[in-house]
Amino acid sequence: MHRIWTAADGTSVVIRPIAPSDLSLTEKFDSELSPQSKYRRLLSDRRLSSAELRRFTRIDPRREIALIGVVGDPGDLKQVGVARCVDDVADESAEFAIVVSDDWQQRGLGAVLLSDLIDAARLHGVRRMEAITMADNGGMLKLARRLGFSAQPHPGEAKLIELALSLV
Ligand SMILES: CC(C)(COP(=O)(O)OP(=O)(O)OC[C@H]1O[C@@H](n2cnc3c(N)ncnc32)[C@H](O)[C@@H]1OP(=O)(O)O)[C@@H](O)C(=O)NCCC(=O)NCCS
């Protein structure tokens, strides 16, 4: 799947599966995220290692889907977002994660990436998508609710919310 989404300001964003050749784009994207976006993505101050970033570009297509948003011309490309999910074969559910670069947040890209990820996961046979987010992450909660996810308090941690969407 490879498509162009046009933002409100007319910028074309290519939405496509991630590839191993995207490592340098991914490293730059990650390094430029604000501390808050990094924290909200991983639910901790932990930094992604080089090995993890490499792994993120070399997905296992049998159980992972990762879509990135890219802007710019060939030779000057910039990653502006990524949404991924990993299938848990044991219960046919998939854990998803999404992050949009700070200067692209609240411009509609998160909704595009997550709805495309949901479509791809459904085609892949995933029956349920899940994630855990922070209770004060208003943007993620609004986005998830808009796409039909339920949002329930995490049983063990008051600061967290469990998001879930049935795809069947
Ligand atoms: C959460 C995140 C992915 C949302 O992506 P985005 O591109 O900003 O989302 P969109 O622009 O598509 O917005 C979707 C909806 O949420 C709303 N929204 C997004 N960010 C918001 C914010 N910070 N405050 C209030 N509303 C917000 C939008 O207004 C929009 O509402 P609408 O449907 O009524 O128009 C993005 O903010 C992000 O990457 N955050 C850091 C990482 C993170 O939190 N990941 C999620 C971990 S589970």
Side-chain angles (χ1 to χ4, degrees):
M1 192 203 72
H2 183 293
R3 74 170 178 112
I4 310 272
W5 170 71
T6 307
D9 69 354
T11 307
S12 294
V13 183
V14 176
I15 311 286
R16 61 166 174 79
I18 206 164
S21 55
D22 292 320
L23 180 59
S24 60
L25 287 186
T26 289
E27 286 172 337
K28 188 159 191 296
F29 170 77
D30 181 73
S31 71
E32 291 177 351
L33 286 172
S34 68
Q36 184 186 60
S37 289
K38 286 183 179 173
Y39 189 86
R40 286 183 159 171
R41 173 178 56 174
L42 293 179
L43 307 178
S44 86
D45 282 324
R46 190 175 74 79
R47 308 295 292 268
L48 288 172
S49 68
S50 309
E52 284 175 297
L53 289 170
R54 180 176 295 273
R55 247 277 304 129
F56 279 1
T57 62
R58 292 172 185 271
I59 65 165
D60 175 353
R62 290 169 303 180
R63 54 186 298 265
E64 288 178 74
I65 304 167
L67 302 176
I68 57 171
V70 178
V71 296
D73 299 318
D76 187 25
L77 295 175
K78 186 178 182 210
Q79 181 179 331
V80 289
V82 61
R84 63 178 62 245
C85 65
V86 183
D87 219 341
D88 180 342
V89 180
D91 67 1
E92 296 178 318
S93 68
E95 183 88 16
F96 77 88
I98 181 168
V99 61
V100 169
S101 63
D102 289 81
D103 53 343
W104 271 85
Q105 289 178 15
Q106 296 199 66
R107 294 169 68 180
L109 179 60
V112 169
L113 281 170
L114 190 52
S115 57
D116 280 11
L117 186 73
I118 291 167
D119 291 346
R122 190 178 275 117
L123 281 175
H124 204 255
V126 173
R127 298 172 67 85
R128 180 179 159 93
M129 282 178 67
E130 300 171 340
I132 292 175
T133 194
M134 298 174 69
D136 67 358
N137 191 345
M140 186 62 223
L141 290 171
K142 192 166 181 189
L143 169 58
R145 287 199 176 103
R146 186 178 136 191
L147 295 181
F149 283 82
S150 63
Q152 301 292 334
H154 188 284
E157 176 51 74
K159 288 183 185 159
L160 300 178
I161 300 283
E162 292 181 336
L163 304 172
L165 178 70
S166 171
L167 304 189
V168 293

